[in-house]
Amino acid sequence: MITIKNLKKVYATPAGPVVGLQDINLQVNQGEIFGVIGKSGAGKSTLIRCINLLERPTSGKISIADTEITQLSGSALRNERHKIGMIFQHFNLLTSRTVYENIALPLKLSGTSSRDIENTIKPLLELTGLNEKRNVYPAQLSGGQKQRVAIARALANNPDVLLCDEATSALDPHTTKSILDLVRDINKKLGLTILLITHEMSVVKEICDRVAVLEQGKIIEMGDVLQVFTHPLQDITRELINTALRLELPQSIKDALHLQRAPKTHPLVRFTFIGNTASKPFLSKLTADFHVEFSVLQANIELIHDNPVGIMLVQAIVDDEQLIEILKYAGEQGLDTEVLGYVN
């Protein structure tokens, strides 16, 4: 379990102090996969570097299990870091050492015997699918295989917590999925608590139990992944979700969008279908019952934690009274609705 209370990180620069993190409060529960998402510069990497104390917070507390690591230093901190595994975006493997030797490195540095190293690494090679690459050098590996080596190395000290800093950002989509499947498998088999930093909501959707959205060093939204996907509260969250679900509106529609109704404009409505509602013939029933026209601008259905979630953006050719009736009917059918604005 990871507990963060009132975390703040301020950098001193020639131009004056710069706040990297502010008022960060979150708890990652034992055995869950927790995602932290945000755009570049939001403070994600600063947060993860503070959690393993590669950077010292300016103020606040960080606890791993029952140990407040922000109070530790020297040998006590080094010992505690053995309980924290770390995976980086660019693998950080030693090119002059084999797969086995790269995985063994943290054990050798801690004085583990050769026999115990062998007993530790053998099941890790099996777990990460690297048995046949044991004596191969990094230059002979694909990007996905290199990340598997890095994951095995991070698990060598049998950590309680695994931190992933943009672990799939350098990989193609197919390889990303295989690495995420591996991380999920590790979480289930080892009961490992995982905190995952990413800028891709598709990664969060694929693997995380809960998520926090970071912007300008602050957590602006946090909750269960299904809840955040279906009821986003912040504009940045909606933008990340729309990108992940490929629901980005054309720029021409964005430019023509009015917040208030103007003459000759019609509402742009977002319908969110969850669970069984995703398979209902909703628009055809609306057309038949309300005798109105719809133009579907974007639509997609995804699985989030085995729950079908559909999001549809439509332009409804209706007046204000009809719109109220339609939104009421949609709510009665279990759909979430949001009027995004009005377009010609």
Side-chain angles (χ1 to χ4, degrees):
M1 183 172 69
I2 304 171
T3 304
I4 301 175
K5 294 182 178 179
N6 303 320
L7 184 67
K8 185 175 185 179
K9 176 63 180 180
V10 179
Y11 295 98
T13 73
V18 174
V19 178
L21 296 171
Q22 187 170 342
D23 300 325
I24 301 296
N25 290 277
L26 64 84
Q27 180 170 299
V28 182
N29 298 321
Q30 175 64 38
E32 80 170 331
I33 303 178
F34 190 99
V36 176
I37 188 167
K39 294 186 175 182
S40 297
K44 305 185 302 297
S45 293
T46 300
L47 175 60
I48 206 167
R49 289 175 64 84
C50 284
I51 291 174
N52 60 18
L53 289 195
L54 290 176
E55 293 197 27
R56 282 275 176 183
T58 304
S59 60
K61 298 178 180 180
I62 301 172
S63 298
I64 306 291
D66 296 324
T67 303
E68 186 183 330
I69 65 170
T70 38
Q71 290 187 335
L72 303 180
S73 60
S75 61
L77 177 57
R78 287 193 293 273
N79 290 335
E80 194 62 28
R81 280 202 180 117
H82 289 164
K83 302 177 184 178
I84 306 173
M86 185 78 183
I87 308 171
F88 301 91
Q89 177 181 355
H90 296 296
F91 322 130
N92 294 343
L93 302 182
L94 297 177
T95 58
S96 60
R97 302 200 180 194
T98 64
V99 165
Y100 182 94
E101 291 168 338
N102 267 283
I103 300 171
L105 184 61
L107 297 173
K108 285 190 174 183
L109 292 176
S110 62
T112 305
S113 69
S114 297
R115 181 176 181 178
D116 287 342
I117 289 176
E118 175 66 27
N119 290 337
T120 297
I121 294 181
K122 187 174 180 181
L124 290 178
L125 290 170
E126 180 72 29
L127 178 64
T128 54
L130 292 169
N131 272 332
E132 297 181 0
K133 303 296 182 181
R134 175 187 175 112
N135 297 315
V136 167
Y137 288 89
Q140 300 168 276
L141 300 176
S142 67
Q145 290 167 340
K146 290 176 183 177
Q147 193 58 285
R148 287 172 180 270
V149 177
I151 291 171
R153 181 183 58 193
L155 298 175
N157 276 322
N158 191 29
D160 297 327
V161 169
L162 183 64
L163 305 180
C164 305
D165 188 6
E166 299 278 11
T168 60
S169 293
L171 305 175
D172 63 75
H174 177 75
T175 306
T176 290
K177 187 179 185 313
S178 72
I179 293 298
L180 293 178
D181 288 344
L182 174 60
V183 171
R184 187 191 294 110
D185 192 42
I186 289 168
N187 170 255
K188 290 180 179 178
K189 289 182 177 177
L190 305 182
L192 201 59
T193 303
I194 299 174
L195 188 144
L196 185 149
I197 297 289
T198 183
H199 66 275
E200 299 173 292
M201 196 58 116
S202 57
V203 171
V204 171
K205 173 182 69 68
E206 183 75 22
I207 195 173
C208 295
D209 301 305
R210 291 191 298 138
V211 62
V213 182
L214 202 62
E215 185 177 29
Q216 295 182 347
K218 294 182 179 181
I219 292 177
I220 60 169
E221 189 163 354
M222 181 163 54
D224 176 87
V225 168
L226 181 60
Q227 176 72 18
V228 170
F229 258 82
T230 54
H231 299 88
L233 301 177
Q234 303 294 331
D235 289 342
I236 182 64
T237 311
R238 293 187 186 94
E239 183 181 339
L240 290 166
I241 290 170
N242 288 344
T243 300
L245 299 183
R246 299 176 295 281
L247 289 173
E248 192 70 20
L249 285 173
Q251 190 61 45
S252 59
I253 294 179
K254 287 182 180 180
D255 293 340
L257 195 64
H258 301 270
L259 295 180
Q260 302 295 328
R261 188 155 201 166
K264 298 183 180 180
T265 63
H266 299 284
L268 179 62
V269 185
R270 171 186 174 128
F271 293 110
T272 302
F273 308 75
I274 306 170
N276 293 333
T277 63
S279 60
K280 291 182 178 180
F282 176 69
L283 284 189
S284 60
K285 187 167 179 60
L286 275 184
T287 302
D289 291 355
F290 290 88
H291 307 291
V292 296
E293 297 180 30
F294 294 91
S295 295
V296 179
L297 303 181
Q298 299 280 357
N300 200 5
I301 294 181
E302 298 278 351
L303 278 177
I304 302 177
H305 290 188
D306 297 324
N307 293 286
V309 175
I311 298 178
M312 183 181 296
L313 301 178
V314 305
Q315 184 182 23
I317 315 301
V318 295
D319 57 32
D320 290 340
E321 185 176 334
Q322 288 175 309
L323 177 62
I324 292 172
E325 292 179 0
I326 289 169
L327 297 181
K328 180 182 178 182
Y329 174 76
E332 291 171 348
Q333 300 303 307
L335 277 68
D336 291 313
T337 61
E338 181 183 3
V339 178
L340 302 180
Y342 300 84
V343 291
N344 294 326

